[in-house]
Amino acid sequence: MELTSEIGWNFKNSYARLPRRFFAEQHPTPVQLPKLIILNKRLAESLGLNAERLESEEGTAVFAGNKLPEGAFPLAQAYAGHQFGHFTMLGDGRAVLIGEQITPTDDRFDIQLKGAGRTPYSRGGDGRAGLGPMLREYIISESMHALGIPTTRSLAVVTTGEPIYRETELPGAILTRVASSHLRVGTFEFAAQWGKEGQLQALADYAIDRHFPDISEEYNKYFLFFRHVVERQAKLIAKWQLIGFIHGVMNTDNMTISGETIDYGPCAFMDEYDPETVFSSIDRQGRYAYGNQPGIGQWNLARFAESLLPLFHKKQEKAVEMAKEVLSYYAEVYDRHLLTGMRAKLGLFHAKEQDEALIRNLLVIMEKNRADYTNTFKALTFELFDEMDLFKTREFQEWQKQWKARLNEQKQSKAEVKQLMKNNNPAVIPRNHRVEAALEAAVEKEDYSVMERLLEVLSNPYAHTFEQEAYSTVPPPSHYPYRTFCGT
Ligand code: AMP
Ligand code: MG
């Protein structure tokens, strides 16, 4: 078919070969008047797609779910999950996986339309998404990628020409999400709870094949698989902490096997350093607060372990023991990555005993002085000690002496220290007020220029350019308390 050769779609559909229990064949529901709002050309090219062609009517029709590329096998995935601690059956309620794109470098990526209409897993939902939330996911996920954090990507957003109804009427939209897979902890919980004989193992074999092919011949491969996922999640969450990212809804269905960040709903970046920071309007208990994220990651992985237990060992006691060992390994990997990352943020090349205390003390002073997380580290990098009130306090000046002394203990030059810090302390993050301004212009005025400028600035966060300066100012006080919403 013309479409495939011109645009470059190259689908293989391995997920569709899993037992039927794991998905429902589901075509996207066509929409009235699709319009391309934004296309990620660089991502398109890396997927082997012709960006120019994607901008045509054909491309838009695919992003809208009105047309399917040759080789597509549209489906909605089944999964379960612990949402705020409670187990439920879920599944793609508004997302359709249209195929797995094989790239010119032979990598495989899910191409999924989010907001593509109702599926058997929609429960009461309309299967649709709003323009604002989909653009928000686009901006934040692409920014996370630029910050060096594993994440699903955003290929395009189209509007549907149909309104959706939330608290108010919103323009409907569809996001094309790209992921190294959409396998979740919740997919395994689903298999363990409702899978028939052998189906859990089939899913594990599939995940190993897709993400950890190196271990597929090992005799204890399911245990190694668990260990690898634990490692990836520990590293991922350490990266979130280092950058001040708050996911907001760390349910087990929003936790990938690949170790990519997924599901940009109520997420937001922390401004003032405070471990109790929560943005999500529905997280009243603060379960998913910044400071709780590492522990919740471990809790989620314990649910993952419970699902996999029968594959670890015939004897349940032994299997539980094995799982426990790996869960303490999670804490070890997390601590190691956090500490290494924090050292780099402070220009420290090698580990020393006193580093943990040095880091902890800085964070205590930051919290007490309500210091902006990102800007504190940026100011330390450039030694801009006039910029924040924090730096005028005696406690900071005491701390600074210790830091200087510690820096002097290493052989690296000042320039090397500064470079390390520049590479680890971003000039910009997607500040909530900036993101809001971009979305408002887009949704209210169909003016996409604010968003495009923001995306440009965020695309190279460690560059520390002059233009980025304007984007690093903290939100005005009127912006607090900032709230994000799940009902997207
Ligand atoms: P989330 O909070 O985005 O992780 O979504 C939780 C579950 O609700 C997932 O199974 C989604 O597919 C489903 N869901 C979210 N929004 C909708 C919607 N508008 N229509 C149908 N299902 C939805
Ligand atoms: Mg989700």
Side-chain angles (χ1 to χ4, degrees), residues 79 83 90-94 121-123 125-128 166 249 253-254 263 486 488:
Y79 50 85
Q83 299 194 306
L90 295 158
D92 290 331
R94 56 164 169 177
Y121 314 113
S122 296
R123 296 172 293 168
D126 61 1
R128 292 299 186 190
R166 297 292 183 261
V249 56
D253 50 304
N254 293 335
D263 219 320
C486 228
T488 58

Side-chain angles (χ1 to χ4, degrees), residues 271-298:
D271 295 303
E272 291 169 1
Y273 177 75
D274 178 357
E276 288 179 16
T277 309
V278 176
F279 292 112
S280 172
S281 58
I282 61 165
D283 191 2
R284 295 201 183 83
Q285 315 287 316
R287 178 179 170 90
Y288 298 139
Y290 173 79
N292 288 350
Q293 294 190 129
I296 288 289
Q298 192 178 39

